[in-house]
Coordinates of all heavy atoms in Angstrom, one line a residue:
R323 N 100.1 113.0 106.7 CA 99.8 112.7 108.1 C 101.1 112.7 109.0 O 101.1 113.3 110.0 CB 99.1 111.4 108.3 CG 98.6 111.1 109.7 CD 97.8 109.8 109.8 NE 96.7 109.7 108.8 CZ 96.7 108.8 107.8 NH1 97.7 107.9 107.7 NH2 95.7 108.8 107.0
A326 N 102.3 116.3 109.3 CA 101.5 117.1 110.3 C 101.8 116.7 111.7 O 101.9 117.5 112.6 CB 100.0 116.8 110.0
R327 N 102.1 115.4 111.9 CA 102.5 115.0 113.3 C 103.8 115.5 113.7 O 104.1 115.8 114.9 CB 102.4 113.5 113.4 CG 100.9 113.0 113.4 CD 100.8 111.5 113.5 NE 99.4 111.2 113.6 CZ 98.8 110.0 113.3 NH1 99.6 109.1 112.9 NH2 97.6 109.8 113.5
V328 N 104.8 115.5 112.7 CA 106.1 116.1 113.1 C 106.0 117.6 113.4 O 106.6 118.1 114.3 CB 107.1 115.9 111.9 CG1 108.4 116.6 112.1 CG2 107.3 114.4 111.7
A330 N 103.4 118.9 114.8 CA 102.8 118.9 116.1 C 103.8 118.6 117.2 O 103.8 119.2 118.3 CB 101.6 117.9 116.2
A331 N 104.8 117.7 116.9 CA 105.9 117.4 117.8 C 106.8 118.6 118.0 O 107.2 119.0 119.1 CB 106.6 116.2 117.3
Y351 N 106.9 105.0 112.8 CA 107.6 106.2 113.4 C 106.9 106.4 114.8 O 105.9 105.9 115.1 CB 107.5 107.4 112.5 CG 106.0 107.8 112.2 CD1 105.4 108.8 113.0 CD2 105.4 107.3 111.1 CE1 104.1 109.1 112.7 CE2 104.1 107.6 110.8 CZ 103.4 108.6 111.6 OH 102.1 108.9 111.3
F353 N 107.3 109.2 118.6 CA 107.8 110.5 119.2 C 108.2 110.2 120.6 O 107.5 109.5 121.3 CB 106.7 111.6 119.1 CG 106.2 111.8 117.7 CD1 105.2 111.1 117.1 CD2 106.9 112.7 116.9 CE1 104.8 111.3 115.8 CE2 106.5 113.0 115.6 CZ 105.4 112.3 115.1
M364 N 106.0 109.2 123.8 CA 104.9 110.0 124.0 C 103.6 109.2 123.8 O 103.6 108.4 122.9 CB 104.9 111.2 123.1 CG 106.1 112.2 123.4 SD 106.1 113.6 122.4 CE 104.9 114.6 123.1
S365 N 102.6 109.3 124.7 CA 101.5 108.5 124.5 C 100.2 109.2 124.1 O 99.2 108.6 123.9 CB 101.2 107.7 125.9 OG 101.0 108.7 126.9
E366 N 100.3 110.5 124.0 CA 99.1 111.3 123.6 C 98.8 110.9 122.1 O 99.6 110.5 121.3 CB 99.4 112.8 123.5 CG 99.6 113.4 124.9 CD 101.1 113.6 125.2 OE1 101.9 113.9 124.3 OE2 101.4 113.6 126.4
K367 N 97.5 110.9 121.8 CA 97.0 110.3 120.6 C 97.7 110.8 119.3 O 98.1 109.9 118.5 CB 95.5 110.6 120.5 CG 94.9 109.8 119.3 CD 93.4 109.9 119.4 CE 92.8 109.0 118.3 NZ 91.4 108.9 118.3
P368 N 97.9 112.1 119.1 CA 98.5 112.4 117.8 C 100.0 112.0 117.7 O 100.6 111.9 116.6 CB 98.3 113.9 117.6 CG 98.1 114.4 119.0 CD 97.5 113.3 119.8
L369 N 100.6 111.9 118.9 CA 102.1 111.7 118.9 C 102.5 110.3 119.4 O 103.6 110.1 119.8 CB 102.7 112.8 119.7 CG 102.5 114.2 119.2 CD1 103.1 115.2 120.2 CD2 103.0 114.4 117.8
R370 N 101.6 109.3 119.3 CA 102.1 108.0 119.7 C 102.7 107.2 118.5 O 102.6 107.7 117.4 CB 100.9 107.2 120.3 CG 99.8 107.0 119.4 CD 98.6 106.3 120.0 NE 97.5 106.2 119.1 CZ 96.3 106.1 119.4 NH1 95.9 106.0 120.7 NH2 95.3 106.0 118.5
V371 N 103.2 106.1 118.8 CA 103.8 105.3 117.8 C 102.8 104.9 116.7 O 101.7 104.5 117.0 CB 104.5 104.0 118.4 CG1 105.0 103.1 117.3 CG2 105.6 104.4 119.4
E372 N 103.2 105.0 115.4 CA 102.3 104.7 114.3 C 103.1 103.8 113.3 O 104.3 104.0 113.1 CB 101.9 105.9 113.6 CG 100.9 106.8 114.3 CD 99.5 106.1 114.4 OE1 99.1 105.4 113.4 OE2 98.8 106.3 115.4

Side-chain angles (χ1 to χ4, degrees):
R323 188 177 307 115
R327 287 180 174 159
V328 172
Y351 58 94
F353 302 91
M364 297 181 78
S365 59
E366 293 102 29
K367 189 170 184 173
L369 300 178
R370 62 182 175 205
V371 174
E372 287 289 329

